Amino acid sequence: MSNKLFSTRGLYQLIWPLIIEQLLSILLGMADIVMVSSLGEAAVSGVSLVDSINVLLVEVFAALGTGGAVVAAQYIGHGDYAMASKTAKQLLYTIVTVAFTIMVCCLLFYRQILSFIFGRIDDNVMQSARTYFLITILALPSIAVYNGCAALFRAQGNSRVSMLTSLLINVLNIGGNAFLLYGMHWGVEGAAVPTLVSRTVAALVLLVLLYRGRDYNGHPAISIKGISRISLDGKLVKRILAIGIPNGLENGMFQIGKILVLSLIATYGTTAIAANAAANTLASFEVLPGASVGLAMLTVVGQCMGAGESEQAVYYTKRLMVVAYISMVILNIPLLACSYKILGIYNLSPETTKLAWYMTLTHGLCSMVIWPLSFTLPNVLRAANDAAFTMIVSMISMWTVRVGMSYVFKWTGILGIENALSWPVSFGALGVWFSMILDWIVRSTCFVYRFRRGKWKSRKLI
């Protein structure tokens, strides 16, 4: 293949900062839970419950950012850097509007939202959840801007900027947590306030860097100069939303489904909630390489499609999928071997630790085989303007398989396994994790079929 759009060195320079960025994000979530654990399991449970809502909202902004990044990447591949910059401005107008709207609604109806989602939980858990929710929800506009700007930098292949900004977030957030929780002896506010401050600072830094718009790799960089002169371009916004809305609905329904099954986990007691929170953190580590390669897919395939090189898109997809699988195996084998000891840093009860370990093993063993096909591969379809298909498959699989089977396993005692092994009541929460694996199997089958058929290669966006 001649005139390759990406060299091996170029792919390396794109992927390794993404891996570090994802690692920093996971370490931040882990540090939050570990530090909050000093306040007791009720605080851990309250924070983890709210974080499930926050992740839902972040996914909405990430989806819109993906929409803007795909359009910008295709314009860059096409050589139209002026339109890539114009796309950036339209994305920020859109994402900020959505963020402020959601923030106001959440502030007005926070009691109803938390009660509706989580139902009857212990009073001390609910109090922690309310406090943490009210403070962190103020960070939504900053989180939205951060996600949009970071996606735009990745679209032009400059993943180093978002990595360094993520490092800044970690320093501010973890440092703030340590000062407020251990030094000032605050409650869950000590974890919430640093979240607000760090996200605000990060958003401002990225906005300044995008405004400066320095060249990258010898090509004009995306710039948002003139963004204060607001001018909406309906056609461009429509292109962004053509990717962003299906992706947002997919991610949103996915997270809503997770919240629903989390409310199901809450019925197994505080032990199950805390174990699920700890296991979810390690689970994020387990899929880190696949998630990083997935972000790289958006840039690589997006630029290939913009350049009219669909066969190069296929070539790089196969190459990056191999990278994802090899890196997943290299990471997960030692991680699973040490997982029980790692879970010990959470200072949880023996029963909670053991349950979290079972969850971690289930997720890790299956992620090495199925996860990249379920979550890395569909980014190829999104980058090629086939986001509607990924949305439909993901939503149907989420609600019929993951959510549906979670309730089936609850009603049947995981098909009788709980009674056969004499598990404590809290271990019934494992049914949610088993249902998740079944969901992966269904969606990966559909995505592989779609990719092999090749219709995505003929879809036009710009």
Coordinates of all heavy atoms in Angstrom, one line a residue, residues 46 69 84 94 111 116 121-123 128 142 163 189 238 289 298 300 313 326 336 343 345 367 379:
G46 N -22.1 6.2 48.7 CA -22.8 7.4 48.2 C -22.0 8.0 47.1 O -22.6 8.4 46.1
A69 N -15.1 15.6 16.7 CA -13.8 15.1 16.4 C -13.8 14.3 15.0 O -12.9 14.4 14.2 CB -13.3 14.1 17.5
A84 N -12.1 22.5 9.5 CA -11.9 21.8 10.8 C -12.0 22.7 11.9 O -12.5 22.4 13.0 CB -10.5 21.1 10.7
T94 N -22.3 24.1 20.8 CA -23.3 23.0 21.1 C -23.1 22.4 22.5 O -24.1 22.3 23.2 CB -23.2 22.0 20.0 OG1 -23.4 22.6 18.7 CG2 -24.3 20.9 20.2
R111 N -33.0 16.2 44.4 CA -33.6 15.2 45.4 C -34.4 14.2 44.6 O -34.4 13.0 44.9 CB -34.5 16.0 46.4 CG -33.7 16.8 47.4 CD -34.7 17.4 48.4 NE -33.9 18.2 49.4 CZ -33.5 17.7 50.5 NH1 -33.8 16.4 50.8 NH2 -32.8 18.4 51.4
F116 N -35.4 8.8 42.7 CA -35.9 8.1 41.6 C -35.0 7.0 41.1 O -35.4 5.8 40.9 CB -36.3 9.0 40.4 CG -36.7 8.2 39.2 CD1 -38.0 7.7 39.1 CD2 -35.9 8.0 38.1 CE1 -38.5 7.0 38.0 CE2 -36.3 7.4 37.0 CZ -37.6 6.8 36.9
I121 N -32.4 3.8 49.9 CA -31.1 3.4 50.4 C -30.9 4.0 51.8 O -31.6 4.8 52.2 CB -30.0 3.8 49.5 CG1 -30.0 5.4 49.3 CG2 -30.1 3.1 48.1 CD1 -28.9 5.9 48.4
D122 N -29.9 3.5 52.5 CA -29.7 4.0 53.9 C -29.5 5.5 53.9 O -29.0 6.1 53.0 CB -28.4 3.3 54.4 CG -28.5 1.8 54.6 OD1 -29.6 1.3 54.6 OD2 -27.4 1.2 54.7
D123 N -30.1 6.1 55.0 CA -30.1 7.6 55.0 C -28.7 8.2 55.0 O -28.5 9.2 54.3 CB -30.8 8.0 56.4 CG -32.3 7.7 56.4 OD1 -32.8 7.5 55.3 OD2 -32.8 7.7 57.5
S128 N -24.7 11.4 51.9 CA -23.4 11.5 51.2 C -23.6 11.7 49.7 O -22.9 12.6 49.1 CB -22.5 10.3 51.4 OG -22.2 10.2 52.8
S142 N -17.5 22.8 32.7 CA -16.1 22.6 32.5 C -15.8 21.2 31.9 O -14.9 21.1 31.1 CB -15.4 22.8 33.8 OG -15.5 24.1 34.3
M163 N -3.3 14.4 27.2 CA -2.6 13.6 28.2 C -2.0 14.5 29.3 O -2.2 14.2 30.5 CB -1.4 12.8 27.6 CG -0.6 12.0 28.6 SD 1.0 11.4 27.9 CE 1.9 13.0 27.8
E189 N -17.5 16.4 50.8 CA -17.2 17.6 50.2 C -15.7 17.7 49.8 O -15.3 18.4 48.8 CB -17.5 18.8 51.1 CG -19.0 18.9 51.5 CD -19.2 18.2 52.9 OE1 -18.4 17.3 53.2 OE2 -20.1 18.6 53.6
K238 N -25.4 20.0 12.2 CA -26.1 18.8 11.8 C -25.1 17.6 11.6 O -25.4 16.5 12.0 CB -26.9 19.0 10.6 CG -27.8 17.9 10.2 CD -28.7 18.2 9.0 CE -29.5 17.0 8.5 NZ -30.4 17.4 7.3
P289 N -6.1 -0.6 27.5 CA -5.5 -0.6 26.2 C -6.5 -0.5 25.1 O -6.4 0.2 24.1 CB -4.7 -1.9 26.1 CG -4.5 -2.3 27.5 CD -5.7 -1.8 28.3
L298 N -10.8 6.6 16.1 CA -11.6 7.7 15.6 C -10.7 8.7 14.7 O -11.2 9.1 13.7 CB -12.2 8.5 16.8 CG -13.2 7.8 17.6 CD1 -13.5 8.6 18.9 CD2 -14.5 7.5 16.8
V300 N -7.7 7.9 13.2 CA -7.1 7.3 12.1 C -8.1 7.0 11.0 O -7.9 7.4 9.8 CB -6.4 6.0 12.5 CG1 -5.9 5.2 11.3 CG2 -5.2 6.2 13.4
A313 N -8.4 2.6 5.7 CA -9.2 2.5 6.9 C -9.3 1.0 7.4 O -9.2 0.7 8.5 CB -10.6 3.1 6.7
I326 N -3.2 -7.7 21.8 CA -1.9 -8.1 22.4 C -1.7 -7.3 23.7 O -1.3 -7.8 24.7 CB -0.8 -7.8 21.4 CG1 -0.9 -8.7 20.3 CG2 0.6 -7.9 22.1 CD1 0.2 -8.5 19.2
L336 N -4.6 -9.5 36.9 CA -5.5 -10.5 37.6 C -4.7 -11.3 38.7 O -5.3 -11.6 39.7 CB -6.1 -11.4 36.5 CG -7.1 -10.8 35.6 CD1 -7.5 -11.8 34.5 CD2 -8.3 -10.3 36.3
L343 N -7.0 -5.0 45.7 CA -8.3 -4.7 46.3 C -8.2 -4.4 47.8 O -9.0 -3.7 48.4 CB -9.3 -5.8 46.1 CG -9.9 -5.9 44.7 CD1 -10.6 -7.2 44.5 CD2 -10.8 -4.7 44.3
I345 N -6.3 -2.4 49.3 CA -6.0 -1.0 49.6 C -7.3 -0.3 49.9 O -7.2 0.9 50.4 CB -5.2 -0.3 48.5 CG1 -6.0 -0.2 47.2 CG2 -3.9 -1.1 48.2 CD1 -5.3 0.6 46.1
S367 N -12.7 -9.9 29.2 CA -12.3 -8.7 28.5 C -11.2 -9.0 27.5 O -11.1 -8.4 26.4 CB -11.9 -7.6 29.4 OG -10.7 -7.9 30.1
N379 N -15.9 1.9 17.0 CA -15.4 3.3 16.7 C -15.0 3.4 15.3 O -15.0 4.6 14.7 CB -14.2 3.6 17.6 CG -14.6 4.2 18.9 OD1 -15.8 4.4 19.2 ND2 -13.7 4.6 19.8

